[in-house]
Amino acid sequence: MRAGIAATIALATALIPATVLGPAMPAAADPVRDAEYWLAEYGITTAWQTTQGAGVTIAIIDTGIDSSVPDLKGAVIGGADFSGLGSANGQTPVGSTGSEHGTLVASLAAGRGRGVGNADGVIGAAPAANLLAISIGFGEGDIDSDEQIAQAVRWAVDNGADVINMSLTRNTLEWPQSWDDAFLYAAENDVVVVAAAGNRGSGTTVVGAPATMPGVLTVAGVDRQGQASFDASSQGITIGISAPSEELVGVAPGGTVVRWGGTSGATPIVAGIVALVRAAHPELDAANVINRIIATAKPAGDDGPDAIYGFGIVDAA
């Protein structure tokens, strides 16, 4: 479904205060790592017995990634800027507000941890996967936001992405023709695109593009009890899978660890799990990777897929 007018591209972060936890300090039991409840509860640590995502590349189309933070050391292997505001390698966070967003997202996808044996700090769902840092302007700069997205998707495909994470929304059901061409290009080149459903707390009451586009794996959010998050998840028939979107932690530029929430955080957790599947099963094409994710989901809500949970709650194991 194509739109003839431009829409505002928005971040898919819930409107909740980010609580600073501070730098993760080496300890016998690290409070930051302990806060990552989803690692054990959603089968990620079990999946690590098979793979941690080595050899798979996740492109983060967002505000850019501060690759200097300890938890992302060695994770970012390249990048680009399409906003005209950042550095050419996408590793300078951009935006007058929310510039930390891309770094937070990246840490949940492929954070490496920190300290001795990487036992402390934030670790992502696929801690051995590689990252591409792609910065866009979210309405800032002189380049149309829709065009930035289209160019970013194509660049990610051409530069080795196996998975593309998009923790953002257009806030409309429709999308421009340039997105048709770019997302088709990703599909034709066997790239899995994972997109956020958006958050009611941020004003997104109905899932918007790119989460409405054919072939995209759309992620909704649930709370600690596995129930649909009221503030941190939208609803829509294109939702494929649900994942944690509340009481999350992540690393902000400069290395500060913060609490945050929203489908912006649920999405990279799923993107990391997609990377685990791609590493463990290289014989599967993009469509069958997505099928494996939804077919192994834990049931939630009504029988069968619905507009709240999709096919259920993600189970990495």
Side-chain angles (χ1 to χ4, degrees), residues 31-308:
V32 174
R33 185 63 57 81
D34 290 346
E36 292 190 80
Y37 63 89
W38 54 91
L39 297 177
E41 293 180 15
Y42 286 77
I44 295 171
T45 52
T46 300
W48 288 347
Q49 296 173 20
T50 301
T51 180
Q52 292 193 351
V56 178
T57 299
I58 305 170
I60 307 292
I61 298 178
D62 213 288
T63 61
I65 301 172
D66 179 1
S67 60
S68 70
V69 303
D71 312 65
L72 290 170
K73 183 178 180 181
V76 181
I77 60 170
D81 172 64
F82 293 93
S83 69
L85 304 170
S87 56
N89 64 5
Q91 295 170 47
T92 299
V94 302
S96 56
T97 60
S99 61
E100 73 283 354
H101 193 265
T103 307
L104 291 169
V105 168
S107 67
L108 289 192
R112 301 302 203 238
R114 62 176 86 173
V116 178
N118 293 330
D120 307 304
V122 177
I123 194 165
N130 297 317
L131 294 173
L132 294 175
I134 305 176
S135 53
I136 58 174
F138 292 93
E140 298 185 33
D142 297 329
I143 305 172
D144 176 72
S145 294
D146 285 335
E147 187 56 33
Q148 289 184 48
I149 295 289
Q151 292 178 8
V153 169
R154 283 184 167 275
W155 187 93
V157 174
D158 289 341
N159 286 272
D162 302 292
V163 186
I164 295 175
N165 185 96
M166 304 185 76
S167 293
L168 54 88
T169 180
R170 196 171 187 267
N171 277 326
T172 69
L173 298 175
E174 299 84 13
W175 57 87
Q177 184 173 348
S178 62
W179 285 24
D180 275 333
D181 298 336
F183 283 74
L184 178 60
Y185 187 63
E188 290 175 340
N189 284 276
D190 196 35
V191 178
V192 178
V193 178
V194 187
N199 311 307
R200 281 172 285 188
S202 301
T204 303
T205 55
V206 179
V207 173
T212 53
M213 299 184 69
V216 171
L217 178 58
T218 298
V219 182
V222 294
D223 61 19
R224 283 297 304 269
Q225 290 70 47
Q227 300 298 309
S229 174
F230 180 79
D231 288 328
S233 188
S234 301
Q235 298 179 7
I237 61 172
T238 60
I239 290 173
I241 199 76
S242 296
S245 64
E246 296 190 15
E247 299 181 48
L248 305 178
V249 296
V251 182
T256 301
V257 178
V258 301
R259 292 191 184 276
W260 67 307
T263 52
S264 275
T267 302
I269 292 173
V270 172
I273 295 171
V274 169
L276 299 182
V277 175
R278 302 222 82 166
H281 299 280
E283 75 281 3
L284 297 180
D285 62 13
N288 279 296
V289 169
I290 292 174
N291 183 66
R292 192 175 185 91
I293 295 290
I294 62 177
T296 58
K298 294 179 179 179
D302 298 329
D303 293 336
D306 60 31
I308 299 176

